Each structure stands twice: as structure tokens, then as C-alpha cells.
Amino acid sequence: MKLVKAIIKPFKLDAVKDALGEAGVTGLTLSEVKGMGRQKGHTELYRGAEYTVDLVPKVELDIVVPDELVGRVVEAILTAARTGSVGDGKIFVIPVEEAVRVRTGERGETAV
Amino acid sequence: MKLVKAIIKPFKLDAVKDALGEAGVTGLTLSEVKGMGRQKGHTELYRGAEYTVDLVPKVELDIVVPDELVGRVVEAILTAARTGSVGDGKIFVIPVEEAVRVRTGERGETAV
Amino acid sequence: MKLVKAIIKPFKLDAVKDALGEAGVTGLTLSEVKGMGRQKGHTELYRGAEYTVDLVPKVELDIVVPDELVGRVVEAILTAARTGSVGDGKIFVIPVEEAVRVRTGERGETAV
Amino acid sequence: MTVASIALLLADAAPPLKLEDVAKSVADNTTAINFVWTLVAGFLVMFMQAGFAMVETGFTRAKNAAHTVTMNFMVYGLAMLAYWVAGFAIQAGGVGPLSTLGGYDQMNRAFTIHVAGHDWGLFGMRGFFLTGVAYNASVFAYFLFQMVFMDTTATIPTGALAERWKFSAFCVFSLFVGGLIYPVFANWGWGGGWLSQLGANAGLGNGYVDFAGSGVVHLTGGTIALVSCFLLGARKGKFNKDGSPNAIPGHDIPMAMYGTFILCFGWFGFNAGSTLAGSDVRIAVIATNTMLAGAAGGISAMIYVWSKYGKPDPSMLANGTLAGLVAITAPCAFVSAPSAVVIGLVAGVIVCVAVVIVERKLKLDDPVGAISVHGFNGAWGLLSVGLFADGTYGAGTNNVTGAVTGLLYGGYGQFAAQSIGVLTNLLWVGSSTFVAWKITGLITKGHRVSVETEEMGLDTPEMGVPAYPAQEGAPEAAMPVLQKVAG
Amino acid sequence: MTVASIALLLADAAPPLKLEDVAKSVADNTTAINFVWTLVAGFLVMFMQAGFAMVETGFTRAKNAAHTVTMNFMVYGLAMLAYWVAGFAIQAGGVGPLSTLGGYDQMNRAFTIHVAGHDWGLFGMRGFFLTGVAYNASVFAYFLFQMVFMDTTATIPTGALAERWKFSAFCVFSLFVGGLIYPVFANWGWGGGWLSQLGANAGLGNGYVDFAGSGVVHLTGGTIALVSCFLLGARKGKFNKDGSPNAIPGHDIPMAMYGTFILCFGWFGFNAGSTLAGSDVRIAVIATNTMLAGAAGGISAMIYVWSKYGKPDPSMLANGTLAGLVAITAPCAFVSAPSAVVIGLVAGVIVCVAVVIVERKLKLDDPVGAISVHGFNGAWGLLSVGLFADGTYGAGTNNVTGAVTGLLYGGYGQFAAQSIGVLTNLLWVGSSTFVAWKITGLITKGHRVSVETEEMGLDTPEMGVPAYPAQEGAPEAAMPVLQKVAG
Amino acid sequence: MTVASIALLLADAAPPLKLEDVAKSVADNTTAINFVWTLVAGFLVMFMQAGFAMVETGFTRAKNAAHTVTMNFMVYGLAMLAYWVAGFAIQAGGVGPLSTLGGYDQMNRAFTIHVAGHDWGLFGMRGFFLTGVAYNASVFAYFLFQMVFMDTTATIPTGALAERWKFSAFCVFSLFVGGLIYPVFANWGWGGGWLSQLGANAGLGNGYVDFAGSGVVHLTGGTIALVSCFLLGARKGKFNKDGSPNAIPGHDIPMAMYGTFILCFGWFGFNAGSTLAGSDVRIAVIATNTMLAGAAGGISAMIYVWSKYGKPDPSMLANGTLAGLVAITAPCAFVSAPSAVVIGLVAGVIVCVAVVIVERKLKLDDPVGAISVHGFNGAWGLLSVGLFADGTYGAGTNNVTGAVTGLLYGGYGQFAAQSIGVLTNLLWVGSSTFVAWKITGLITKGHRVSVETEEMGLDTPEMGVPAYPAQEGAPEAAMPVLQKVAG
Ligand SMILES: Nc1ncnc2c1ncn2[C@@H]1O[C@H](COP(=O)(O)OP(=O)(O)O)[C@@H](O)[C@H]1O
Ligand SMILES: Nc1ncnc2c1ncn2[C@@H]1O[C@H](COP(=O)(O)OP(=O)(O)O)[C@@H](O)[C@H]1O
Ligand SMILES: Nc1ncnc2c1ncn2[C@@H]1O[C@H](COP(=O)(O)OP(=O)(O)O)[C@@H](O)[C@H]1O
């Protein structure tokens, strides 16, 4: 199993959720994060002072999937999340040794 | 060392914290996340329109523990977080290669 | 590649960001979390009742870096985030199998 | 030469200015001043609904915020309509002519009983739906002012019952408060009923004196809160197995304090408006005393908590200020400024002690402190009339010649009348609340939401929507509408 | 002996009290009462701006909250200055002497046309910049009161256009509303213009009667919202490819309800203040009817939604209450309390149905329901005068002798006049909105923000700052100032 | 035939209407109108406390929000009690008879010095605790109105000192503001003291003229803020090593704008109420000028910032509006509408420039802009009386016959008096602030919280509770109560 961690633009969430559904993903966990990277942040104005904010709001998706699904999941995200402009985000794949469903105690791939 | 990542129902947090304490866990990091899965979300009503929200508030616990503790920690969470109804959550176990305590620079299992 | 996960005191964020920049880090993802550990939390007062809050606000940084950079990154965080008092936080290093840049589809170390 | 001949004599002049006409215009002006004052004051009291909504919502958890705020919102309309249908008539039927509002006297029709050689009023019987003789500007002005007071009472229990009360039960129960529970006691205290007659009929000072309603409004609200809070039970997690309490902090302290400021603002209308007369310069004394007592309550609560726990607790400061305001509500017109300060200082301490008693002795779970603020200090306010009234004001109140005078100024009967008022309130309001609660429970199949609903938060299951939807669902996502409705 | 000789007779006394002088003082007092009343009421109406700001901001998303609140904030000043420059003069030029405010009569100068044997007023031509004869206390009082009404209209469309309207376009367009669109219709309805003359000139009841502005204020706002909402298009994501709508919940429901309470509070000034006379005791009837209709609107909306969807929807309750208030605004002075309740009950249902029609039939995206609340119910309010006015008030209105009387009390012409008012509003306001919109678009190079801006949220790109900066950037970080400015 | 004989003659009539009695009733009505007006206006000013609380809390960070809001909350009560104990007596002792409030004249007792052939007032000595001759309705009305003004001053510095000031030091220092610093200057400007005598005694126009307190209230608050902000030092992180500033955005911009609307609302009471007379129709001019200047300030600030930085900055718009209001506060009664607009436009630019000066030249850290809004524009307001007063109002002010007339209308002395007022304010308020600050520091062992507290946020360490507890601890967890307290 792998944990696919995808950091995407917030307004792409709906499209990515749909694409993941089609790729066979049945569950995921989402959090609101802030990202820093090539995307340059932006200038804000507060009480007569301009300043730069280099943190950009992003949504992070954690999706644990069986090894054989990783490719499809990554592809699905790539397609759905891409706008082509800087800051589209990243996908990281991390090994998972075990998964357990709390409700039933099931373990392994059937748990996800 | 392993990172035990547990996604649970928010109101179970207190029980899980207590159980983890008994299992010998001394530290953890918690974040508020939203989950999607079998638990079906719910219907909401806003200005005369019904709609479905498929994201459910969850709490995610990140607990780094020595390998030998993983079993006990998983058991503790399983017991404390279970309600038996859909949406009780998941536990994922992920390998950790190194841990460092910022304050002292200690490394390895003594750092957690 | 590794995922360096650093949990630090919120007001150290600026210093850590600067140090990471100097260490060659170009991107990271940040989230606001709450931590429990040796740092004992604090007493609060609400409507005539004192109670203890054992969760402390922390900032978590997720930084994916090529293997050879891990050492420098960890050092940079250690130096910048340290205050010397309990609760300075932890750094965990987790293996990453793959990284993909959504915008271009690039994979591997060039993607981060 | 008589006035009539002067009138005659003026009549043949052009322009025909007559003293009577001028005098009539003067009286009309006085009436107009009193209308303006009463209405503006009534508006301010209405605005207190917003203050209560903020305080109660700020002091509850985010997951129940939509439920709490909607209770506060709907109680205004629900209790109002019940009061319009029946409550006002029950309350006002023995009120006598509305002397400051033009003297209209067609509303009188009280049900009385004859005991010990006197007629004692029990409730009124005229003015239902504001129709018939009640379709009159003076009556409408009086209605508006009395309505907003009733609504203050109706909103008090929602705080004590927050985070676990079924919304349907809330709706039904509020009709009882506005239509029956409040009006009956208000008749006794303000509508010419038996409590107000304790002076004229039984020689107890000026009878029950409650200038702007420490008793009629606040103690009533506090008693309803006490009984219903007991019947509803504590929130899940409030008490441990061993009976020890847990703190459940609200989610928005600044909002609670903004709300408290709104209450401070509206309270000027509450108290000073209760003259129903802008032509009575005592309004300045009343307003100033109100202001001072509120400040004193906040300060003594702060000092008390600070010296006990080492920190000034913002939520108790706010409660302390309200306690001072509740306490001064009955005596505001009858006491000097230093007395107002003393009444407020005592109130600030009472509320701190009461919060602990309610939670740790009575084992009641009152999320916002409604019982402590309105109940305990409502009683203290009533009694403080019997202590501090200095005999400089209120001559003629309740048809008793002398001015209102408390114990410290030699008026013993007054204190007795006030004490009877407190007891009567506990008895009538307590028992009628019990009955109304049980009837409501039958209609709405219980008062309590399910355990799951309580765990998840009442907002979505009970109200249909979370208070802060973006923190719940996905911040960006527009949610597809489920069910299409034919226009 | 004449008055003069009495005066003489009094003159040799010391102090030389004269009846005329006393009578003059009495009249001055009446004027003072009316000034105080009109100004206080005007202040309350101004405060409604805060209520609108909270409702609209609460009903939009966090990422657009700074934009929404700033539109609400600036519309107050922008439209005000346009009104001061030109709008007031256009509106008020045929208003006649300000009888309750001391009788000042120097403002009259209307442009009229002669048709069918009568002069019909089209717009006023005096009072620009409040200078010259307009530099007078009576005129200033009148200006203030009329200004805050205009500003209510100007703020209504901002809700319907929220989350996608360029701020620069908003600024320019608001000048048109305050300087032209509103004032012309207000002249016709309130400034002595042709709609108000339909009674005297054409025998239709008392002509167009709109006591506090269901039409002049709310329908005007609603019509502007309707037309501009159509021209601006829906928010990205509101409608799916197949035309089905998505729900886009606002981010702060409690704030929207606090705002609604502020509106309930301010509405007392809105309606009861429209007598411009505290000396008219009808103010009590007006205020009470207003209160009752608002409550009824909230309750019927609640019952409607609850029975349809199984849950009381807080956002519709709030809209229902406002609907009741909008509807009672025209008839408030002319109807009995039960009629007020009926008007409110109907309004609460209308708004629920209208929300669905606007979204699913007209395919318009109105984030806060401005069209449904102010448009539909503005029209309903106007018509309800023609139905429910009971002939007990308003004799002499628009120079017609009889009291205002609706269909249910035998007054046929009145209903016709009201209907003409509704149609005229749609025509004038609709067409002038279209023209002003197009001109604005030329000046500001379009009305719509870019797709990127809309996706990201309008706050930072349009306003320069997010509404809740800590939720955006790093909570702890002090941000270095980019550009240094020489002091 | 004398009045007495007429009285006699009327006496044998039934009812015995007498002209004197009628005239007396007329005068009573006038007094009543003035009481109602003064009190309602005072209530509105009190409500501004809520506005200040929202603005200041919105403009600070979430981690300090409970501290900021509680300072705003408690300053109301703390300064009030100090004012009740001593401040009012110091201020009011030379005020003369309260002519609009019934003419009560028992309060006079001023400490004066004899210089250059004249007696100059320094402070009052009667009215401590509102007892003795001060226990009088007229005095109470006057007290209430003056108290809420003082409290505005007392709340201004809390914004400039936010996010780092020890709560204990705040408590003590506020007593000095309410009990001494403000009252002395208020005596000089409004209580018959030497500044107000500059006209009668030294021929400078009407002496210091400050209709509703650009100087007495706002400049005083601004000067306190300036000096104490300098003494307290900047927030950690505000300035970099090289002295360049960082932006530290507040956490709730919409809340700051709602608060600004509340201030706009309350300001009507502030300015128009300062006639202490509803019978003075000039109130309409005052209220309208106030409204226009506020709008103009917001608009010019918007245009200035927009053209400078490319975006309208919501926080500066809000400050600009307040700047306009502060500036019009002194001249509101004496100027035409166009002048009011000009004064506001200038104020909106001044505040934008001042913010930069304060931050980048003076290197002061004023989180909410108190110095720029209240200090700079308070001075501008005072001077603008000396420029724009058009000689149409204020005859008799400060016992000088002529109306108030500024430079542009040929009144040279007036501008001199105003300038002396500004300088005096800086001197007295600045130096007394310095002394009070040092004494406070001795009592509370310093003014500044520890570095750790500042880093963590002041809420929990100083106040005991975070502003938004759910965002701090676990949202669901009920927290066990630590320390049990015996009931
Ligand atoms: N090395 C990294 N480790 C963790 N997250 C990263 C890293 N680099 C980028 N990110 C995340 O990906 C987001 C997009 O990255 P960015 O460099 O701005 O654009 P792009 O993905 O188009 O190259 C960032 O905002 C951040 O959240
Ligand atoms: N494949 C997955 N990857 C990551 N998180 C998941 C995954 N599946 C489920 N989750 C998380 O677990 C939660 C519970 O899962 P769900 O399928 O609803 O119920 P259950 O755990 O009872 O099967 C989800 O809300 C989500 O947060
Ligand atoms: N075993 C763990 N797993 C995950 N996070 C941990 C663990 N132990 C500590 N943390 C995180 O590190 C933070 C600091 O730990 P703490 O024990 O308080 O101090 P220190 O790092 O100085 O030993 C905690 O607040 C928590 O967020």
C-alpha cells in the first residue's frame, strides 16, 4: 500500500474528487494547508502598507491505495488538478506498511 | 520507528488520548481534517436548497512510536475509537527513518 | 527522497523558513496543528472554572527533499527552531518513493 | 368672569387663540414626548435580542452555534405572536388608564377574587389580538413596550438549555412563555394584580415594586431556566461519573462581549423607558444608576475572580456586568448613585458565587449562566428595592401615597412585599414551567436531541446547516442541489 | 375685549406673558419633538447599513468577505455624496412645505409637464449641495432622513451581485443609484411627482401610497438587483452545464442573523419615522405593525421550509423576517394588527417561493436573496396597501381628502394606483439600471472580475487584503512591508 | 390689572386654567424634550464602546483578541467609576446653570486663579460621587452625557497599546484617564475653564470652541495614545533591526467594518447630542454635516490609497471614515454642508499620511491607527473651526456675543484660540500622561507583558482564556475543571 499525498489548488478539489472516484478511490482525507514554492505568493495591502505573503492556500489530500492502483490515482490527479500555471502542486508517494479499519479491525488492503 | 496515523471521529478524541497515554504514548500531533469514505456525508439545507456534503469532520493523530510499541498503540486506538458505525476511521502505519528532538538534537527512539 | 516533517513552535516559523531557504529548500507545505508531549499545556479560566488544556498550537512543515539534502535541512531546522525550552518540537524523516509535479508531470527529484 | 367667558371672549378674535386650545396642545405635546420616549426605549429593548443572541452564541460551541442563534432569533417572533394572541390581554387587563400615554382607559377588564375584604386581580381579559378597543395608538405603544420586555424573559432560558434542546420543543415551549407564564406574573406585578395591591390592600409599603423588572422579567426568566435546566439534564460531557464538572468553553468570547455591550445599550431603554414618560425627569437618574450598577458589577466580578484564580476571566466580567444591570432593574428609580454602585458591586459577587453553586451544588448545566445572572440577581434586585429605596421617588406607586422606602430608610413593609414577590415568582413560574414543559414534551415527543446529534453538534441535524459552513464542508466547493423544486 | 387687549393687559405685567408667545412656544415644542423623532429615526435607519453588511457578508464565502463588506461599507458614502450633489434636489423639488418640521417651504421647484388638464411632476430642481435656500435646519433634517432611505436602496443590489462584481464598477454604478435612479422614482412617489398625483389628478384613491417605501426603497432596490444580476451573470460554479443549480453556502450564519436583528431594530425608525412627526401618535400603531409583520414573516417561512424539507432553515428564517418587514413597509400606517400579521405571513411564503423561482426558473444567481426579499415583497407590500388599508388613517394624503382605503374596505382606485406604481417602478428602474450599467461598464472596462480572481476569491486581488488574514498567511508572521513611503 | 389678578380671576374658574401654569407646562415640555434628546444621544455614544471594541479587536491578531476586547470592555466601567468618584466634579465645577436641562445651577464651584485682571478657571470642586446637590435629575443627565464622552477618550489608547500591554497596568492607568487627565482638560474646554474664557477674557473669538470634542475627546485620546505608545514600545516583530516596519494584519476585517458602522451610528448622538437640546433645530444641520464628513473621509482615503497602491484598502477606508468623523466633531454645528465635505475629504487624506508618519518617521507601533485617527484629525478638527465656521451659529458661546466665525469668514481670533487649544492639549495631556504612566508602572511593576506572553499571545497568560477556545484546544473536548470551589 501507498499513501498518495497530493497538494493541489483549492478550487480544483471538486474536479480531483470526481476523477479519483472514477479511478476507483473510495476514501480519502483532506486538510487545508498553506504552500510555499515557485508560485510567488502575492502582495497585500493593510492600513497603508504593502507586504508580500509567500504562503498560498492549498488543499492536501491523503489517499491510501493498494500498490497496483497508485499509477491510476496519480494519473487521475495529474489530469484533474492541472491548470498549467505555476503552483498546481505536487504528488508524493509514501510507503504504507499497514492499514487498519477502526470499525471492524480489518487489516491490509481491504481496510482502505 | 513508525508513524501511526489515525483518523478518528472528533468526539472520540478524549477517549483515544486516554487510551494512548495508558499504552505508553507520551507525545502526538493532532490536526483537524475532513474525510470522505463509506460514511455517506449528510444533507444540508441552505436558503431553500438541499445539498449533500460528502466531507465529514475528522481528527487525525500522528504518533511516532518505536517499532515494538506499534501493536499496542494500534490496539489502544482500535478499542477507544470504535463506535461500530460506519466512519469510525482508519489507522495507517508508515515507516520513519529518523526522529530528532529539536530542543536537544537527540536522535532516534529517545527523541520521541 | 525523504519527507522531512518538522513540528515547531509557531512563532519560530519565520526563522525556520529563512534557514530552509538558505539550506536550498525551494518548497514546503505547512499546516497548523496541535501537539501534545512533554510541554505541559496550560491552565485556562472560563466562567469561574479552571481547566487544563494539554494541546499546544504548533506548526507542522512537510518538506520533501533529495536524500543528500536531508542532513542540511534537519540541521537548518534544528538551529532555527531551537529555543531550548520544552516543546521545541520534533523532526521526523520518512521515505518517499516518488514525487510528481502536477503542472508538468515531471517525476523524481526534479519535481520537488 | 369665568374661563368660559374668556374662551368666548377669545373666540371673536382673529386668529382665535384660546387658552384651552393652547393648553390642549401642551398636553398633546407632553403625550407626544411620552410616545416618542416609550417607543424609542422599546426599540432599544428590542435590540437587546441581538445582544442576547451574541452572548449565548459566543458562549456555546461552534458545532451548536446555528442552533443557539436560531433559538435566539425565533424566540422573538414566536413569543411575540403568542403574546399578541393572548399574553398581552392576560397581563394588561387591570392596568388602569395609560396616564402618560394620553390617558386611554378602555383596556380595563380584570378577573379578580374577593379575599379579606379586598378585590385582588388575577389576570386581564381584554386586548386579545389587539383588536376592538385595543386598536388604539396608546394601547399599541403600551403593547410594544411590554412585548419587548416579555421577549427578554422568553430568551433567557434558551441560554440555559443550549446545545441539547430539540428545536421543535423550543418552539412550542416559547409559546407558553409568551402566552401564559410571563403574562400572569406580569399582571400580578405590573398589570394591577394582587402583588401590586399588597400596599393598598395589605399595608405593605407600596406593594410589590419592581420598577423595570428585576422580578417580572429577569427572575421569571431565571426561574424558567432553573426548572427547565433541571428537567432537561446536563450536556453530554459536562459532568464526570463522580459528579465533578468539566468546563466547556464557548467558541467566540469577543462576540459574547460585543453582545454584552449591546445589552448595556439596550438596558437604558429597559430601565429609563419604564417611566413610560419622557416628561418625567427622573429618567436621568434611572439611566445613570443603570450605567453605574452595570460598571460596578463588572468590576467586582473581575476583582473577585482575579483574586481567586489569579486572572480576570473575560466571560465572568461580562456576566458580572449583566448581573449589575439585572439587579439595578427593580431599584433604579428609587435609589441614589452610591446605592446603585453598591447594588452593582454585590451583584457582581453574587453572580460569581452563584455560577459555582449552580454547577457544583445544584449540578445544573447552564452554559451561559442564565440562572446565576437573571435568577439570583433578579431576586437580589427585588430585595434591594426593599433595602435601598430612599424615599425620594415613587409617591403614588400602586395607589399608595408615600414614596417607595426601603429598610435602610425605615420602610419595613416594602421589604416584606418584595420578599413575597420573590417567593411568588418561584412558585408560580416554577410550577407553570413544570406543567408547560411536560405538555410540550408530549407534543414534540421529548425535549432532548439524540446522543448522536449532540455528539455531532445540533446544527446540521436540527437546523439543516452548520453555523460556519466553510469550516465544515470543502471551502471552495459549490454543493450540488439535491432536490429540485418546481417553482 | 380682543386678544390684542389681553396681550396689552399682560404686557404691563412682569414677566410679560403673552398667549401668542406661549402658543408659539408650544408650536416650537411640537417642531422640536418632530425634529428629535425624525432624526432619531433617521439614525436608526442609517444603522441598518451595519445590518445589511452583516447579512450580506455572512451569506457569502469567506474568500469574498472583505469585498462584500467593503461594498456595503462604501455604498453608504458613495451614494450619499451623489445624493448630496444631485439626488436630493431631483427627489425633493416638489415636496411642498415641510409641515411637521416647522413648515419651511422654500425648496419647491419641480419640473412638470401638462397632460390631460393637469400638471404632473417629473423631477425637482432645487437643493443641490444643500446650499442656498437649502441651508436650513428643516431641509437638513429632511435630507438626512431621505438620504438614509436612498442608501438602503443602494445597498440592496450589492448582495445580489456579490462574489463577482468588480469593485471599481460597483463604485461608479452606486453613484448612478444615489444620484439618479432612486431620486427620480422617489420624486414620483414621495416628492410630489406624478404617481402621488394619481389620486388628486386621476381619481385613483389617494394616488400612489407607499408609507415608508416598500416600493420607493425596496422594490427599487429589488428591480436594480434583478436587472443587474441578469446582466452580470452567475457566479462560477453556481449552475451546472445542464442548468441545475448548486448551493453555495455563506460562511457565517450567526453573523447574518445578528445583522437581521439590527435590521429589525432599524426598521422601527424606517417605518415609524416616516411620519416625520413624533407628534402623530399613529407612530405606535406603525411600530407595532412593523414588529408583528416581521415576526409573522419569519414564522411562516420557518413553517413553510420545515414542512417542505423537514428542517427549519436558519437562512430562510432570516429572509422570511426581512420579507415581512419589507412587505409591511408600505401599509404599516394604514392597517390593523391582524392585517399586519397576515401581510407578514404571506410575505414569508412569498420569499421562499421566490427564491426558488429566481434560481430555478429565471436562472439568476442572487447570493443573498435580494430580489426575493426586496423585489417580490416590495411589490407585495405596495399591493397590500390597496388590499388592507382600513380607512382609519391617512386622510389628506397626497391632497386627497379621504383616508387611505383598500379593496377589502371598498377602495378600488387605491389598488389601481398601487399597481401602476409597481409597473412604473419596473419600467423606470429597470430601464435606467440597464443604461447606467452599460455606461458604468464603459468607464470601468467591464463589470466582472477575471476567472482567476473569482476562483481565488475577490478579497486579495480586488481589495488588497483577505477578510481573515490569519487564516490566509502565516498566523504568527509579521509581514515585512514591501514599499517604503516617504512620510 | 396684574398677572396676579388674572391668576385670581382664573382661580375661581373650574378647571382653573392659568396662562402661567400653561407657560410653565410649556417650559417643562421643552425641558423634557431636551432630557429625552440628551439621554438618547448619550445612549448612542455609550454604544460606540461596542464599535471601538469591534474595530480594535478586528485590527489585532486572534491570539490577542480576548485581551483587546476585554480592555475595551472594562475601560467602560473602570474609567466610569473614576469619573463618578472624582472626574466629573473636576470637570463640571464651573459649568454654570444647565440651561437646557431645566436651568439647575447648584453645581458651580470652580477653583480659579486671578491673572491679568481676570479670573481663570482651573478645575471644579463639586459633584463627587453624585451626592449632595448633585443628586438631581439635571445633573444626572449631564453626568451621563459627559461620562460617555470621557469613556470614548479612555478607550482610544487601548487600541494603540494593544497586543503587549499588561492588563493590570491598563486597569490602573484607565483610572487616571477617567479621574484626572481627561477631566482637567474638559474643564478648561467645556467646564467654564480658562480655554473657554479666552474669548471673553482675552478677545480671541468665542474662546476655545470645540462643539462635540475633536479636542476634548479625540485629541486628548490621541495625545494619550501618542505618549503611552512611545513609552510602551513596539510589538515584537513590528520593526526590523534596520528600523523598517513590518505589517501585522489584524484578524477580522469585516468585524472592524461593522464596528466602524456602529461608530458612524453613535456619532450622531455624539455630535448632535452636544446641543444638550432637542429644542435647538440646529441638531439637523449637525447630524447631516457629521454624516457627510464621515462619508467624505472614507472616500478620500479610498481614492488616496487606491491611486497610491493600486487597490482600495478596506482598513484604511474605515480609518478614513473615522477621521472624517473626528474632524467634523468640533466644527459640526458651525459650518455649511460643503465645508463639512471639505473637512472630511482633508481628514481622509490626513489619516493616510499620518499612518505612514507615525510608523515610519516616529517609529511608533499603533496597531489600530489611534494616533492618526484621533490625534491628527482631532487637531485638524479644532483648527477647522477656526477656518470654516461661517458665523451662522453659536452666538453667545462662552459668553461672547457674536457667532462663531473662522478665518475664511474673517474671524482671526477664533483661529488663535483653536491653536492655543491644540497646544495646551499636547502639553497638559502629554505631561500628565507621562506622570500617570510612571506611577502606574510603579504600582503594577511595569507596563509590558513578558516576551513569552507576547509570543504566545496575551489571551491565555493575561486573561485566562483564548478568544476562540475551539481553535486552541480540542474542539470537542470538554475540559475537566481543575480546582473545585466550595459553593
Ligand atoms: N519540496 C516540497 N515539499 C513539500 N511540499 C512542496 C514542496 N515543493 C512544493 N510543495 C508544495 O507544492 C505547492 C506548489 O509548488 P510550486 O513550486 O509553487 O509550484 P509547482 O508545483 O507548479 O512547481 C507548494 O505551494 C507547496 O505546497
Ligand atoms: N483510502 C483512504 N485514504 C485515506 N483516508 C481514508 C481512506 N479511506 C477512508 N479514509 C478516512 O477514514 C475515514 C472513515 O472512512 P469510512 O470509509 O467513512 O468509514 P470506515 O472507516 O468505517 O470504513 C474517512 O472519513 C477518511 O477520513
Ligand atoms: N511521539 C510523537 N509523535 C508525534 N508527534 C510528537 C511526538 N512527541 C512529540 N510530538 C510533537 O512534538 C511537540 C513537542 O514535543 P514535547 O514533548 O512537548 O517537547 P520536546 O520536543 O521539547 O521534547 C509536541 O507538541 C507534538 O506536537
Side-chain angles (χ1 to χ4, degrees), chain E residues 12-37:
Chain E
D12 56 354
L17 266 182
K18 292 190 213 164
L19 185 57
E20 298 96 286
D21 290 349
V22 172
K24 170 78 173 50
S25 300
V26 173
D28 286 349
N29 274 348
T30 307
T31 299
I33 292 166
N34 296 343
F35 264 77
V36 168
W37 176 248

Side-chain angles (χ1 to χ4, degrees), chain B residues 3 25-30 62-65 100-104 106 111-112, chain C residues 7-8 33-40 56 58 85-90 92:
Chain B
L3 165 62
V25 167
T26 55
L28 57 81
T29 300
L30 164 163
D62 277 6
I63 318 151
V64 174
V65 288
V100 192
R101 167 171 286 130
V102 172
R103 174 162 46 93
T104 57
E106 279 164 280
V112 300
Chain C
I7 297 146
I8 60 170
V33 298
K34 286 147 196 166
M36 226 178 84
R38 254 155 255 228
Q39 186 186 356
K40 267 300 138 252
V56 186
K58 300 278 171 196
S85 61
V86 189
D88 274 355
K90 310 277 185 225
F92 302 125

Side-chain angles (χ1 to χ4, degrees), chain E residues 164 229-239 363-366 448 454:
Chain E
R164 61 214 192 270
C229 195
F230 170 77
L231 292 169
L232 187 59
R235 287 168 293 176
K236 203 170 171 307
K238 177 65 195 176
F239 293 106
K363 302 287 180 198
L364 293 177
D365 179 16
D366 177 357
R448 184 97 190 200
E454 203 176 332

Side-chain angles (χ1 to χ4, degrees), chain C residues 43-51, chain D residues 59 249-250 309 313 315 319 368-369:
Chain C
T43 301
E44 296 187 357
L45 188 58
Y46 179 73
R47 310 202 59 256
E50 269 184 316
Y51 57 92
Chain D
F59 280 166
Y309 299 101
D313 170 349
S315 50
N319 271 188
V368 310

Side-chain angles (χ1 to χ4, degrees), chain E residues 186-283:
Chain E
N187 176 271
W188 298 351
W190 287 347
W194 69 272
L195 279 175
S196 68
Q197 296 168 302
L198 284 174
N201 287 1
L204 298 179
N206 289 61
Y208 173 84
V209 170
D210 183 7
F211 192 73
S214 290
V216 171
V217 176
H218 295 282
L219 180 54
T220 299
T223 304
I224 299 172
L226 177 78
V227 173
S228 55
C229 195
F230 170 77
L231 292 169
L232 187 59
R235 287 168 293 176
K236 203 170 171 307
K238 177 65 195 176
F239 293 106
N240 300 315
K241 296 251 161 64
D242 65 357
S244 65
N246 295 319
I248 307 182
H251 79 293
D252 196 339
I253 305 294
M255 192 58 78
M257 301 191 94
Y258 306 145
T260 305
F261 263 143
I262 290 182
L263 291 173
C264 291
F265 174 50
W267 227 289
F268 285 125
F270 209 96
N271 285 3
S274 289
T275 56
L276 300 176
S279 59
D280 179 349
V281 294
R282 193 77 181 187
I283 53 179

Side-chain angles (χ1 to χ4, degrees), chain F residues 359-372:
Chain F
E359 184 176 281
R360 295 173 211 184
K361 300 284 166 202
L362 307 184
K363 301 287 179 198
L364 293 177
D365 178 16
D366 176 357
V368 310
I371 300 168
S372 309

